[in-house]
Amino acid sequence: MMSLLGRPDVDAGEVFVNFNQNITSLAVATSGGYSLYSLGSVDSTLDKIYHTKSDELFLIERLFESSLVAIVSQRAPRKLKVCHFKKQSEICNYSYANTILAVKLNRERLIVCLEESLYIHNIQDMKVVHTIRDTPCNPLGLCALSSSSEHCYLAYPGSVTSGEVQIFDAINLHAKTMIPAHDTPLAAIAFSPSGTEIATASERGTVIRVFSSQDGSRLFELRRGLKRCVSIVSLSFSNCSEYLVSSSNTETVHIFRLDRSAAETADHGKQSTDDWMGFLSKTVTSYLPTQVTDVFSQGRAFASVSLPEAGVRRMCAITTIQKQLRLLIASQDGYLYVYSIPSIEGAECQLIKRHDLRLEDHYAMDIKVDSPQTLGLNSGVSIGGAAGVPPSGSGASGSADGKSTATDKPGGSSSTSGGGGASGSGSAGASYASAVKGDEPVGGGPSST
C-alpha cells in the first residue's frame, strides 16, 4: 500500500519498511531477510510474527492479515514472487520485461507497476486479466490501489507535465475518470479505506487535495505550507477516514482532520443570502486575487509532529490501537515511532514509544526516550523503494501527450509482448484462493521460470 521508490542515493542492502492495507502489521526487510510484525500492542511492544532469511528485498506487500506476501528482490528486480510465509513456500512467480517499481494488492486484485505499463492480476488465481500499456513515463512507480473490494480502483499519473490522476476500475476493467488535480506533476496519491476518495499532492508539495474517486469532484483542499516547496513522500488516510497524514523531506509530519459535516455546513452557508457575514466575506474576496482567496479557503493542519532531522524519508499511518488513535511513523533511520493524537486542534502529538526495527531478536524491543530531541539519525538505513535497482532501459514508450493509449486483456495466466509482457509459473489454484481469505493450507512448493 505504501512504499518509497526511486532512491538512487540509497545503497543496496538496507532497510525497507511497509504497512499492510489496514495498518495491522508492518513488514521490515533488511540485507539478511525480512520480518513481519503485529501492531496490536505497539504502544508497549512490537511483536514479531515471522522472520526468514532471504535475498535482499526492495519490495514486500502483505495481504491484510493473511499469510500471503508478494516480494521482489534486488537480485531479480523483474521477478515477482507470491509466497505463503507460514508454509514457507513459494506459490507462484511472474517475470516481466522491465524492473518492477511497485506492487499493490487487495482481496480482488494484484497490481504490478512498471515504468510505462501496469499489469492487473486476479488475485484468486494470479492470472493477468488486463494490461494498461503506454502509460506516461513513471520512473518512481507512483500508483495506488484501493483496499476496498467494493470500490476496487487503481490510480496512476495521467501526465508527465501536469498533475492528472487516472482512475481505473480494476474489477470491470475500464477507465472511470480523469482528475486534473494539480498544475505540476504528481508526487503522492492515496485512496481512502472505502476507495471512494483519493488524496493527491504534486511535486510542489504546498497543497494537498482530496477528490471523489467516483466523479472527480473536489472535496477538500489542505494547505501544508506557504513558504517552501517540499517533496511529499507519504499520504495516508486513517482507518476511520476522519484524518489524513502527510510526510515530506522536511522535519514536520502534518495531520489534517477531514470534517465532512463542517464542509456540508459551509456549502449550505454559501447558498444563504441572509447571512450578512457571508455576504461581506464574499464581497471582500471578490476584489482579491484568486491565489489569495484560495489560501483563505484551504484547511490547516489539525496537529503536527516535529522530528529532529530534515531530509529523512518517513512512511506514516493513522490507526486505532487498543481503542486509542495512534500515529505511526516508520522512518528511514530504522525506527518506528508511535504518537498519540491530541483532541485539541493545533496541539503537538506526544511520543509514546520508539521501536528499533533493526534488532534481530524475536521481539522488537522498545527504546526509552527521554525527549524527542534525543532521537538521532542513522543515515546508514533507508526506508522503502527500489534501493540500488538501476532503471531498465527497455520497454514500451509512452505517448507524447502523456495519455494511456492502449490496453490489452489477455485471456491466459500469462501475457507476453515485446513492450513488457509478463510470464509466470506456479501452483496458484483453489488452495491459493483459500489462502487469500485466511491462513488455510496452500498446496504447491517453489517454482521457477
Side-chain angles (χ1 to χ4, degrees):
M1 167 182 177
M2 296 177 287
S3 56
L4 298 176
L5 301 169
R7 296 296 312 281
D9 58 316
V10 177
D11 293 331
E14 297 176 342
V15 172
F16 170 88
V17 179
N18 195 10
F19 297 103
N20 69 341
Q21 296 84 359
N22 57 353
I23 323 298
T24 57
S25 72
L26 178 71
V28 178
T30 66
S31 59
Y34 74 88
S35 302
L36 300 173
Y37 296 91
S38 169
L39 300 175
S41 57
V42 74
D43 281 8
S44 55
T45 61
L46 191 59
D47 298 331
K48 187 176 290 186
I49 303 169
Y50 176 77
H51 173 77
T52 187
K53 295 182 179 180
S54 67
D55 293 339
E56 298 177 13
L57 305 181
F58 72 91
L59 288 175
I60 178 170
E61 289 274 345
R62 183 186 182 190
L63 178 64
F64 291 92
E65 293 88 11
S66 77
S67 295
L68 291 182
V69 291
I71 60 176
V72 180
S73 71
Q74 295 188 28
R75 180 177 297 181
R78 300 181 181 188
K79 178 180 286 189
L80 169 70
K81 295 181 181 181
V82 179
C83 303
H84 189 297
F85 71 83
K86 286 190 176 180
K87 302 292 289 185
Q88 299 186 24
S89 64
E90 179 182 306
I91 300 170
C92 61
N93 63 63
Y94 272 71
S95 295
Y96 302 83
N98 299 314
T99 296
I100 300 169
L101 299 177
V103 178
K104 307 293 180 183
L105 62 163
N106 62 24
R107 292 187 176 93
E108 302 294 333
R109 295 290 187 251
L110 183 148
I111 308 298
V112 175
C113 178
L114 309 184
E115 187 170 351
E116 292 174 334
S117 58
L118 290 151
Y119 288 84
I120 303 176
H121 294 255
N122 176 21
I123 204 167
Q124 301 297 329
D125 55 16
M126 278 302 292
K127 290 182 179 179
V128 178
V129 296
H130 199 79
T131 305
I132 304 175
R133 302 188 188 279
D134 300 333
T135 60
C137 185
N138 185 14
L140 299 184
L142 182 61
C143 65
L145 177 68
S146 166
S147 61
S148 168
S149 297
E150 182 181 359
H151 301 104
C152 185
Y153 300 145
L154 168 66
Y156 59 95
S159 171
V160 295
T161 58
S162 66
E164 292 183 3
V165 183
Q166 292 283 351
I167 307 293
F168 189 87
D169 187 330
I171 295 296
N172 299 305
L173 305 177
H174 62 76
K176 187 165 184 63
T177 187
M178 188 282 290
I179 303 173
H182 302 272
D183 294 332
T184 53
L186 296 171
I189 50 178
F191 280 106
S192 65
S194 67
T196 58
E197 297 175 356
I198 185 169
T200 67
S202 72
E203 291 180 350
R204 189 173 298 161
T206 54
V207 174
I208 298 168
R209 296 188 173 108
V210 179
F211 299 89
S212 165
S213 57
Q214 297 177 299
D215 61 16
S217 60
R218 186 188 300 182
L219 305 176
F220 296 95
E221 187 163 275
L222 311 167
R223 170 63 63 173
R224 192 213 55 80
L226 286 170
K227 294 183 179 180
R228 54 180 175 175
C229 296
V230 302
S231 176
I232 293 180
V233 295
S234 174
L235 279 177
S236 178
F237 285 85
S238 63
N239 285 343
C240 62
S241 297
E242 187 178 348
Y243 297 92
L244 180 70
V245 58
S246 73
S247 66
S248 66
N249 58 343
T250 70
E251 68 281 0
T252 306
V253 172
H254 294 87
I255 298 174
F256 300 92
R257 187 169 186 175
L258 306 178
D259 191 344
R260 292 169 177 80
S261 60
E264 291 175 2
T265 302
D267 289 339
H268 290 308
K270 289 178 182 178
Q271 298 171 3
S272 175
T273 57
D274 57 358
D275 184 348
W276 184 83
M277 290 301 295
F279 171 77
L280 178 62
S281 175
K282 184 181 294 185
T283 303
V284 171
T285 56
S286 66
Y287 291 96
L288 297 175
T290 302
Q291 293 86 346
V292 176
T293 58
D294 285 346
V295 171
F296 284 149
S297 64
Q298 290 163 352
R300 299 297 188 273
F302 174 81
S304 63
V305 168
S306 295
L307 293 162
E309 299 284 346
V312 180
R313 294 196 171 205
R314 304 176 175 99
M315 301 304 296
C316 300
I318 295 178
T319 189
T320 301
I321 305 292
Q322 297 178 349
K323 299 183 179 180
Q324 297 294 322
L325 209 58
R326 294 290 183 254
L327 167 65
L328 307 180
I329 303 174
S331 178
Q332 89 171 52
D333 59 8
Y335 294 99
L336 174 67
Y337 302 93
V338 183
Y339 286 86
S340 64
I341 297 178
S343 57
I344 302 174
E345 183 174 357
E348 281 272 338
C349 299
Q350 296 300 310
L351 180 64
I352 297 173
K353 289 289 181 181
R354 184 181 73 159
H355 300 282
D356 191 339
L357 301 174
R358 301 163 300 179
L359 298 179
E360 295 298 332
D361 57 4
H362 293 292
Y363 296 95
M365 298 172 61
D366 63 280
I367 298 173
K368 184 179 180 181
V369 177
D370 295 325
S371 67
Q373 286 70 29
T374 63
L375 306 183
L377 169 66
N378 183 346
S379 60
V381 182
S382 65
I383 175 175
V389 178
S392 174
S394 62
S397 58
S399 59
D401 61 356
K403 305 291 184 182
S404 175
T405 57
T407 60
D408 294 327
K409 186 177 180 180
S413 61
S414 64
S415 168
T416 57
S417 75
S423 61
S425 68
S427 56
S431 57
Y432 174 85
S434 66
V436 172
K437 299 177 183 178
D439 291 331
E440 292 80 357
V442 173
S447 61
S448 60
T449 55

